[in-house]
């Protein structure tokens, strides 16, 4: 079925407007964690069309693995259309990229087709294993290293019951409560790292903005943990629509999409910077294929 980019944009907007629970928001973040090369909007579209998708790729990527796509199983996403765009600086001079060429920019979007492994045929492939012993510790170490890169040490100590973690910029440290188990400690440290990456120097904002920052930090943490199959429970997700409506009553969906996009981009950059420290073992959503020795997980294609 032919669908225009405008129609797909409308579908995406309507779907985002419908989010009214933390469960729905967490489901989108799980999809973003499972498909890390796709943007937040496309994660929503993939989840809408195939909630139990395992691995997504375009036809050329599946062909490289020796598998053919079943045309009727196509999932529609939005792919950016890029072209050379002449940007000007404050003096009106054209800006170039580091190689001296005119920079490329996104001038629009087009509809692209991708397929889940369930809608392909061919030799079996192996999927990444489930979480192994030590993954949680490795993720903790990666978060500690990222905190140090931002000039902060991590201190595990007693905290008041109502405060599981906090960042003390004056003392140059992140404090995580010693009352928590290891997974909960990782979740709280990821939350604080999310703030460091997305909200440097943004304390003292209005209440609605502060609430959005909390949702963004929790979303960053959720994606980082979900990428490695670790659970995270949070109540802040239930306030997504309420907070977005307070900021932009006429188009809360634009605020919601911005929150998701910021969290996805920040978590992707964190994982790209620290992924070498951790074996990538994403949480599996839906059914799995039997692994076959000597095969590799599919390349998910370019970032969309």
């Amino acid at each position: 079925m032919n669908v225009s980019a405008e129609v797909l944009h409308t579908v995406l907007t309507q779907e985002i407007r419908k989010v009214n629970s933390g469960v729905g928001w967490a489901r989108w973040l799980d999809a973003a964690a499972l498909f890390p090369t796709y943007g937040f909007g496309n994660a929503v579209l993939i989840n809408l069309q195939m909630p139990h998708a395992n691995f997504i790729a375009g036809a050329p990527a599946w062909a490289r693995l020796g598998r053919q796509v079943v045309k009727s199983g196509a999932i529609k996403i939005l792919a950016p259309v890029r072209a050379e765009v002449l940007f000007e600086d404050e003096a009106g001079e054209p800006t170039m990229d580091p190689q001296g060429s005119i920079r490329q920019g996104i001038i629009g979007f087009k509809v692209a087709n991708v397929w889940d492994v369930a809608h392909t045929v061919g030799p079996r492939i192996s999927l990444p294993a489930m979480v192994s012993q030590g993954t949680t510790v490795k993720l903790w170490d990666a978060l500690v290293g990222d905190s140090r890169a931002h000039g902060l040490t991590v201190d595990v100590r007693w905290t008041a019951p109502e405060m599981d973690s906090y960042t003390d910029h004056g003392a140059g440290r992140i404090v995580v409560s010693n009352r928590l188990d290891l997974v909960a400690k990782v979740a709280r440290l990821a939350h604080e790292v999310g703030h460091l990456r997305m909200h440097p120097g943004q304390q003292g904002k209005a209440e609605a903005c502060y609430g959005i920052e909390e949702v963004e930090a929790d979303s960053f943490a959720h994606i980082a943990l979900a990428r490695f199959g670790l659970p995270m429970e949070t109540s802040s997700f239930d306030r997504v629509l309420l907070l977005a409506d307070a900021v932009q009553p006429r188009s809360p969906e634009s605020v919601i999409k911005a929150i998701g996009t910021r969290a996805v981009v920040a978590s992707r950059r964190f994982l790209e910077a620290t992924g070498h420290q951790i074996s990538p073992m994403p949480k599996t959503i839906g059914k799995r294929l039997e692994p076959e020795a000597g095969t590799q997980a599919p390349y998910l294609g370019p970032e969309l």
Side-chain angles (χ1 to χ4, degrees):
M1 180 177 65
N2 291 326
V3 177
S4 69
E6 290 76 15
V7 169
L8 208 54
H9 267 296
T10 300
V11 170
L12 175 60
T13 298
Q14 292 173 342
E15 184 66 10
I16 290 176
R17 280 177 180 168
K18 291 191 296 185
V19 64
N20 57 8
S21 71
V23 173
W25 184 254
R27 185 176 67 247
W28 292 345
L29 298 181
D30 283 338
L34 193 60
F35 312 123
T37 58
Y38 294 88
F40 176 73
N42 280 330
V44 174
L45 287 172
I46 291 169
N47 183 258
L48 173 64
Q49 295 170 75
M50 191 173 182
H52 300 296
N54 275 313
F55 283 89
I56 299 292
W62 285 122
R64 288 195 293 271
L65 289 167
R67 296 182 70 87
Q68 292 183 321
V69 301
V70 178
K71 296 298 183 181
S72 60
I75 297 171
K76 308 289 184 182
I77 63 170
L78 290 164
V81 177
R82 304 178 190 274
E84 289 187 347
V85 180
L86 190 61
F87 296 101
E88 294 183 350
D89 59 21
E90 293 180 355
E93 296 294 328
T95 59
M96 304 292 183
D97 63 20
Q99 287 71 43
S101 302
I102 297 176
R103 294 180 183 274
Q104 281 211 337
I106 297 175
I107 61 172
F109 290 87
K110 64 180 179 180
V111 177
N113 292 327
V114 292
W115 287 263
D116 180 61
V117 63
H119 289 147
T120 66
V121 294
R124 289 184 297 176
I125 59 173
S126 62
L127 301 182
M130 298 300 287
V131 176
S132 66
Q133 291 289 333
T135 299
T136 310
V137 174
K138 290 179 181 178
L139 182 53
W140 170 267
D141 291 342
L143 288 162
V144 169
D146 203 61
S147 302
R148 288 174 181 160
H150 286 84
L152 299 172
T153 60
V154 176
D155 189 3
V156 178
R157 60 166 60 191
W158 180 90
T159 63
E162 68 275 7
M163 187 175 294
D164 289 335
S165 67
Y166 61 90
T167 298
D168 186 343
H169 289 280
R173 67 183 181 182
I174 295 174
V175 176
V176 179
S177 176
N178 59 8
R179 296 178 288 100
L180 307 175
D181 62 32
L182 181 56
V183 173
K185 285 187 177 79
V186 169
R188 292 312 307 170
L189 181 53
H191 173 95
E192 300 299 333
V193 169
H195 277 306
L196 291 179
R197 283 185 163 265
M198 290 186 285
H199 316 126
Q202 293 189 23
Q203 291 77 25
K205 295 280 187 172
E207 183 177 351
C209 292
Y210 174 78
I212 285 176
E213 289 177 1
E214 288 298 289
V215 172
E216 288 181 342
D218 278 342
S219 297
F220 170 93
H222 186 105
I223 294 171
L225 269 68
R227 184 78 182 116
F228 302 100
L230 300 174
M232 179 175 170
E233 299 294 331
T234 179
S235 60
S236 72
F237 294 166
D238 290 326
R239 307 198 313 261
V240 170
L241 183 59
L242 182 65
L243 290 166
D245 189 65
V247 173
Q248 185 56 266
R250 293 187 177 181
S251 58
E253 70 279 355
S254 64
V255 179
I256 293 172
K257 188 175 181 182
I259 294 171
T261 298
R262 283 173 58 81
V264 166
V265 171
S267 62
R268 177 183 296 145
R269 288 174 177 169
F270 164 74
L271 293 169
E272 287 174 348
T274 61
H276 63 284
Q277 303 177 41
I278 321 165
S279 300
M281 298 177 184
K283 179 181 179 181
T284 298
I285 302 175
K287 59 185 179 182
R288 297 170 57 82
L289 297 179
E290 289 297 322
E292 182 172 297
T295 58
Q296 297 180 346
Y299 166 65
L300 299 183
E303 178 183 332
L304 296 174

